[in-house]
Amino acid sequence: MQYEKYHELKRHIAVDCVIFGYEQEQLKLLVFKRAIEPAKGKWSLIGGWVKEEESAEDAARRVLVNLTGLQDVFMEQVQTFSKPDRDPGGNVVTVSFYALVKVEKYSNQLIHEFGAQWINISELPQLIFDHDEMVARALEKLRLKSRYDLIGRQLLPEKFTITSLRNLYNEIFQKQFDPGNFRKKVLSLKVLERQEEKDMSESRKGAFYYKFNDIEEEGFNDPIFKRSF
Amino acid sequence: MQYEKYHELKRHIAVDCVIFGYEQEQLKLLVFKRAIEPAKGKWSLIGGWVKEEESAEDAARRVLVNLTGLQDVFMEQVQTFSKPDRDPGGNVVTVSFYALVKVEKYSNQLIHEFGAQWINISELPQLIFDHDEMVARALEKLRLKSRYDLIGRQLLPEKFTITSLRNLYNEIFQKQFDPGNFRKKVLSLKVLERQEEKDMSESRKGAFYYKFNDIEEEGFNDPIFKRSF
DNA sequence: ACAAAAGTGTTAGCCGTACACCCATGT
DNA sequence: ACATGGGTGTACGGCTAACACTTTTGT
């Protein structure tokens, strides 16, 4: 498990996690300043070794739980990277995952402990090895999912406004959705429930909070958003 | 490389290939009758070990070249399977790929040599281990690709009729596309070139052959087929 | 009264679907 | 002439996109 040693061994299997969060109307990624060699001080994703008695999915979940304490985080496999020379420290095959977490639930203490930081998706520094490509592929996958599912359940707080949800989609697709049309579209999907309470912080009139309802976690057959972005 | 031995060792990395082909207006999969234990006589996908000095992509390509002699086959990573007990013969992490090949180019001799057989996608026997799931996931990925790309370049012969192409889509989505609408749709994409020659075998009138043109291999931004199937 | 965001309504145009209809030709 | 698949035309309906318009309320 010690990084300094692994180059002596033959080939290892690891996971890396592309962790998305949504905070202050921005889509962010949790990145880490490496405390150890190689590439000490450089930015990277968080990862870990896959133990012999677990699957890559188990390992990724373990890494995430260890980092955040959160048990039921949405997570999906993205791609496996296996070029023998992709990690200068040794021959490492890495299965990458992306995760969607509610930033609010994070303990800031944990984050500092790991040298982690939430960074806006459009202001990312260069990451080590092929981690940039992992992020790019994860973002592609997130966009694809967002097109067929109404995501937000895993990223937004329990209660949120339609405007917040729209902003999330604006961030994901780097595009301004029309407020009126977006509202009608998502409400027509019948997965949101309006609450009594209003958010008064953003306007005089106030905006109703919504919650995701419990039924039908599964995606729709048709794309929600059919046009190119 | 010997299967009988690998259970003694700790953990291996392998690839498996979901090889799609199109023959006699049917979407088929190349499956193999295992000649060795475990699961001798059962059907499976073709696979191979990933050598220490190569990537999973390299390994998959090597397996395919070895099997077919074809160099430039379309191939894409699907998913990695890593449950420690997924292969009763040992702890094997497998990266699965799908490939699209022109059946016509295959040497039948090679196929028999490997105990292989083209089987219609809807008549597949049960496959060993988690190979059924690999096929299911590969098919999902193929469907997704077919929705955004006009697929067929890699599956159809050089010259083909619109009806053949439509049949391919019928097979992929298990749905009957409307002949007229399908024709207009694919021709509007401007990626097909009509040939002088006609195929006279299917109708009195004859159907023009088409070829894919050379420009723009990349996909479209919008889904070609937007509705559910 | 005004501003500013929330929310509703309206319209035009595009596109998918269904289906009618013509075409070419071997028997 | 007719049957058959190839190929074209048309009309309806649904949906998207653009944007005008109304609502609410603190200042």
Side-chain angles (χ1 to χ4, degrees):
Chain A
M1 194 65 186
Q2 288 296 310
Y3 201 96
E4 305 86 46
K5 288 182 190 164
Y6 80 83
H7 68 275
E8 305 161 13
L9 305 169
K10 301 186 93 170
R11 191 166 48 178
H12 292 252
I13 302 177
V15 292
D16 276 325
C17 300
V18 180
I19 305 173
F20 291 108
Y22 186 59
E23 194 187 24
Q24 293 158 346
E25 312 291 292
Q26 294 188 318
L27 184 64
K28 296 186 174 181
L29 203 66
L30 194 60
V31 292
F32 297 78
K33 199 157 215 162
R34 289 177 68 93
I36 52 169
E37 293 296 343
K40 185 176 173 182
K42 300 263 183 66
W43 294 99
S44 80
L45 301 172
I46 188 84
W49 304 117
V50 179
K51 296 179 183 169
E52 301 239 336
E53 68 277 11
E54 69 182 357
S55 66
E57 281 72 15
D58 291 339
R61 179 133 277 129
R62 181 169 50 73
V63 166
L64 214 61
V65 169
N66 193 32
L67 177 69
T68 67
L70 303 177
Q71 285 289 342
D72 44 354
V73 165
F74 174 87
M75 197 162 218
E76 214 168 52
Q77 196 188 121
V78 179
Q79 199 184 333
T80 295
F81 296 81
S82 59
K83 280 215 203 82
D85 60 352
R86 54 172 289 279
D87 182 333
N91 195 342
V92 181
V93 172
T94 293
V95 186
S96 69
F97 291 80
Y98 79 95
L100 305 179
V101 306
K102 300 190 199 250
V103 175
E104 36 156 16
K105 290 203 174 176
Y106 255 101
S107 128
N108 277 323
Q109 188 209 331
L110 277 171
I111 287 182
H112 282 107
E113 190 178 308
F114 283 93
Q117 199 168 323
W118 288 107
I119 299 190
N120 185 298
I121 204 74
S122 56
E123 295 164 359
L124 286 178
Q126 203 185 354
L127 306 177
I128 60 165
F129 309 165
D130 45 11
H131 288 198
D132 286 324
E133 195 187 341
M134 288 186 189
V135 173
R137 293 281 300 113
L139 195 53
E140 275 176 37
K141 193 140 188 179
L142 177 63
R143 289 198 176 118
L144 200 57
K145 183 181 172 59
S146 307
R147 205 165 185 168
Y148 284 87
D149 276 0
L150 189 63
I151 68 159
R153 196 180 229 120
Q154 295 91 2
L155 284 166
L156 296 166
E158 196 70 16
K159 295 184 290 188
F160 54 88
T161 62
I162 301 285
T163 303
S164 270
L165 181 59
R166 175 166 48 84
N167 262 312
L168 170 59
Y169 267 83
N170 288 348
E171 285 283 307
I172 291 175
F173 289 106
Q174 296 288 322
K175 170 204 159 160
Q176 295 299 114
F177 283 83
D178 178 278
N181 295 336
F182 185 87
R183 161 183 306 277
K184 273 175 286 183
K185 184 73 187 185
V186 300
L187 291 180
S188 76
L189 300 174
K190 307 277 183 206
V191 297
L192 299 182
E193 278 172 12
R194 200 174 83 174
Q195 307 302 114
E196 294 304 318
E197 198 185 346
K198 277 188 166 188
D199 169 28
M200 302 305 292
S201 67
E202 298 295 319
S203 73
R204 307 290 140 98
K205 186 180 177 182
F208 281 107
Y209 281 117
Y210 284 79
K211 277 186 185 176
F212 279 91
N213 65 19
D214 300 326
I215 54 172
E216 193 194 7
E217 173 68 35
E218 294 316 308
F220 309 95
N221 286 326
D222 298 328
I224 305 175
F225 303 104
K226 301 193 177 65
R227 291 278 197 280
S228 63
F229 296 116
Chain B
M1 195 65 187
Q2 288 296 309
Y3 201 97
E4 305 85 50
K5 289 181 187 164
Y6 80 83
H7 68 275
E8 305 161 12
L9 304 168
K10 303 185 90 169
R11 190 165 51 177
H12 293 253
I13 302 177
V15 292
D16 275 326
C17 299
V18 181
I19 304 173
F20 291 107
Y22 186 59
E23 195 186 24
Q24 293 158 346
E25 311 293 292
Q26 293 188 321
L27 184 64
K28 296 187 173 178
L29 204 65
L30 193 60
V31 292
F32 297 79
K33 200 157 216 163
R34 289 177 67 93
I36 52 168
E37 293 297 345
K40 185 177 174 180
K42 300 264 183 65
W43 293 100
S44 79
L45 301 172
I46 187 84
W49 304 117
V50 179
K51 297 179 183 169
E52 302 240 336
E53 68 277 12
E54 69 182 356
S55 66
E57 281 72 15
D58 291 339
R61 180 132 277 132
R62 181 169 51 73
V63 167
L64 214 62
V65 169
N66 194 31
L67 176 69
T68 67
L70 302 178
Q71 285 290 341
D72 44 355
V73 165
F74 174 87
M75 196 161 219
E76 215 168 51
Q77 197 187 119
V78 178
Q79 201 184 333
T80 294
F81 295 81
S82 59
K83 282 216 202 80
D85 60 351
R86 53 173 291 278
D87 181 333
N91 194 341
V92 180
V93 172
T94 293
V95 186
S96 69
F97 290 80
Y98 80 94
L100 305 180
V101 306
K102 300 188 198 251
V103 175
E104 34 155 17
K105 289 202 174 178
Y106 254 102
S107 130
N108 276 322
Q109 187 208 332
L110 276 170
I111 288 181
H112 281 107
E113 191 178 308
F114 284 93
Q117 200 168 324
W118 287 107
I119 300 190
N120 187 298
I121 204 73
S122 56
E123 295 165 359
L124 286 178
Q126 204 185 354
L127 306 178
I128 59 165
F129 310 162
D130 45 10
H131 288 198
D132 286 325
E133 195 188 340
M134 287 185 190
V135 172
R137 294 280 299 114
L139 196 51
E140 274 176 37
K141 193 138 187 178
L142 177 62
R143 288 197 177 120
L144 199 59
K145 183 181 172 60
S146 307
R147 207 165 184 169
Y148 285 87
D149 277 0
L150 188 63
I151 214 175
R153 196 179 229 120
Q154 295 89 4
L155 284 167
L156 297 167
E158 196 69 15
K159 294 184 292 187
F160 53 88
T161 63
I162 301 286
T163 302
S164 270
L165 180 59
R166 174 165 50 83
N167 262 311
L168 170 58
Y169 267 83
N170 288 347
E171 286 283 306
I172 291 175
F173 290 106
Q174 297 289 324
K175 169 204 160 163
Q176 295 298 113
F177 284 82
D178 179 278
N181 297 335
F182 184 88
R183 163 182 305 278
K184 273 176 286 184
K185 185 70 186 183
V186 301
L187 290 181
S188 76
L189 301 174
K190 307 278 181 204
V191 297
L192 299 182
E193 278 172 13
R194 201 174 82 173
Q195 308 302 114
E196 294 305 315
E197 199 186 346
K198 276 187 166 189
D199 169 27
M200 302 306 293
S201 66
E202 298 296 319
S203 73
R204 307 291 138 96
K205 185 179 177 182
F208 282 107
Y209 280 117
Y210 284 79
K211 276 186 185 176
F212 279 91
N213 65 19
D214 300 325
I215 54 172
E216 192 194 9
E217 173 68 34
E218 294 317 308
F220 309 96
N221 287 326
D222 298 327
I224 304 176
F225 302 104
K226 304 196 174 66
R227 290 278 199 280
S228 63
F229 298 115

